[in-house]
Amino acid sequence: MEQRGRLWLVVGIVLVIVAVLSNAPGLDTTLLLSVDEDGQAPWGSARTVDPLASDPNSSTELTQAAWLDPLDLGLFGVRLVGLASLAVLAWAMGNLPRWRNPDASWSPWLASIVLLHPGMLFAIGRGYSEPLGTLLGGVMLLAPLHPALFRRIQSGTPRDGAAVLAVIVAVSISTAAAAALLALKGLNPWWAMGLAVLLVPPISFGDWSASHVTRRGAAGWFVLAVMLGMGLTGLLGVGSVSEARGEWWWWSFLPFAVFDVLGLYLLVGAGLWAFLGKDAMGFNRGEGAMELLVVCGLLVGLLSAYVAALWTVEGQAWDLAWWETMVVLGNNGRHGMVLLPAAVWLIV
């Protein structure tokens, strides 16, 4: 079994190399590499009906450029950040079994998931930010559950000094990762403080046992969280959602976006559907699993609303038909890969 896992890991490494060498940078990467010191692209908007045209009077500040190319090395720098993020992510995924059993071996199977994921290969080939975003998403969601912190957090009631310090460290790491992820996506990093406010009560005072939760009950809470996430995103009007929520397109795209984010890019793209049998899902009874499942549900809803908004805005900019939008712009669902480490923790 381990030998086959190593084989797939090698296959994944080869595919990553092929993807990097055989792909030109994507549209977003080209835009980010072309911005000036003020974060402005010289030609303005490149998303127009005419694929060869641009609108110099329409320009948006692209603050993500510094994240994708911090060393100012151009395309090589973007590739370097992507490959480094992917390597750390694969190593971290392979270490997840040790969170439950310190004597467990490093898992090449889990490490190969990110290297073989079609969405990740697409992103690394095009120079997109998903490898770094997925790594930050994993840190954001799993930091409070790391054994080194979790054991101290749960060490006693009332909380002693070591537990309080562990809570502070866990919340700080998670919030910092969330802020970096928001900045990477061109959003206001200060919104991450909302995550800190939400994290402190359950980490400090919550009952982390999931042994009493049935599979059906967990699924129900997850679906409810997805719907709540979409509703909150629509009300708050985050990013592109503020431009799209008044359009009927956005509302009709929502169920398809959930399928894209959750179904195609997580369950199918990462092969996690294979672990949903009755004898699998060993981790879903672990402490903290229900809390993480609900948070992931909220984020699936948020990301789905965001993907639906991108389809609406870009579909109108490029004058695409309703059904063409989902086909041509289906790769927008890759934003859901930020949940990949947490999904693996929950399912595998």
Side-chain angles (χ1 to χ4, degrees):
M1 183 70 74
E2 287 299 318
Q3 186 174 0
R4 291 177 62 189
R6 294 190 187 96
L7 173 62
W8 284 115
L9 182 64
V10 171
V11 172
I13 293 172
V14 172
L15 287 176
V16 168
I17 294 173
V18 171
V20 170
L21 296 179
S22 62
N23 279 275
L27 172 61
D28 290 344
T29 306
T30 303
L31 286 172
L32 291 172
L33 291 176
S34 303
V35 299
D36 57 24
E37 61 275 7
D38 297 321
Q40 300 291 336
W43 53 74
S45 175
R47 285 175 163 82
T48 60
V49 176
D50 183 354
L52 300 179
S54 62
D55 182 3
N57 297 317
S58 175
S59 186
T60 302
E61 184 179 0
L62 301 172
T63 56
Q64 309 99 299
W67 285 92
L68 289 182
D69 184 23
L71 301 177
D72 198 22
L73 298 176
L75 182 58
F76 176 75
V78 172
R79 302 288 197 202
L80 190 62
V81 169
L83 289 172
S85 301
L86 199 59
V88 174
L89 183 61
W91 171 82
M93 295 272 279
N95 271 304
L96 283 181
R98 294 176 175 170
W99 289 33
R100 299 289 174 178
N101 179 11
D103 297 325
S105 301
W106 185 80
S107 173
W109 281 107
L110 298 186
S112 67
I113 286 177
V114 293
L115 303 182
L116 294 169
H117 195 300
M120 199 66 75
L121 291 171
F122 170 81
I124 196 72
R126 293 297 188 182
Y128 291 156
S129 61
E130 273 61 45
L132 178 57
T134 303
L135 180 60
L136 291 172
V139 174
M140 176 185 74
L141 294 172
L142 296 182
L145 297 173
H146 191 280
L149 295 172
F150 192 80
R151 283 194 294 267
R152 289 179 172 84
I153 292 172
Q154 298 300 102
S155 60
T157 303
R159 300 288 183 238
D160 55 22
V164 172
L165 179 60
V167 170
I168 294 173
V169 171
V171 172
S172 298
I173 293 175
S174 184
T175 304
L181 181 58
L182 288 169
L184 179 66
K185 295 300 181 182
L187 300 173
N188 188 344
W190 285 104
W191 289 347
M193 296 307 297
L195 175 66
V197 173
L198 293 174
L199 277 177
V200 172
I203 288 181
S204 302
F205 310 109
D207 177 11
W208 292 73
S209 176
S211 59
H212 62 284
V213 179
T214 65
R215 184 185 296 264
R216 180 175 296 180
W221 279 108
F222 179 79
V223 172
L224 182 62
V226 171
M227 296 176 65
L228 181 60
M230 288 191 292
L232 287 175
T233 309
L235 288 174
L236 296 174
V238 179
S240 299
V241 177
S242 62
E243 303 176 41
R245 59 184 173 180
E247 303 288 342
W248 70 267
W249 278 24
W250 181 72
W251 295 94
S252 61
F253 282 146
L254 285 175
F256 297 99
V258 173
F259 172 74
D260 215 34
V261 169
L262 178 61
L264 291 184
Y265 279 89
L266 286 177
L267 296 181
V268 176
L272 299 183
W273 61 269
F275 297 94
L276 294 178
K278 293 182 179 179
D279 297 328
M281 299 183 71
F283 280 3
N284 72 346
R285 297 288 183 180
E287 291 185 313
M290 268 306 298
E291 288 82 358
L292 181 60
L293 184 67
V294 170
V295 171
C296 286
L298 287 169
L299 291 176
V300 166
L302 186 152
L303 290 166
S304 299
Y306 174 62
V307 168
L310 291 178
W311 288 351
T312 303
V313 173
E314 296 189 22
Q316 290 177 329
W318 282 332
D319 196 26
L320 293 173
W322 183 83
W323 65 271
E324 288 179 317
T325 301
M326 291 181 291
V327 175
V328 175
L329 303 176
N331 66 79
N332 281 328
R334 71 184 189 277
H335 295 291
M337 290 191 298
V338 299
L339 300 175
L340 187 56
V344 171
W345 189 95
L346 283 166
I347 292 177
V348 178

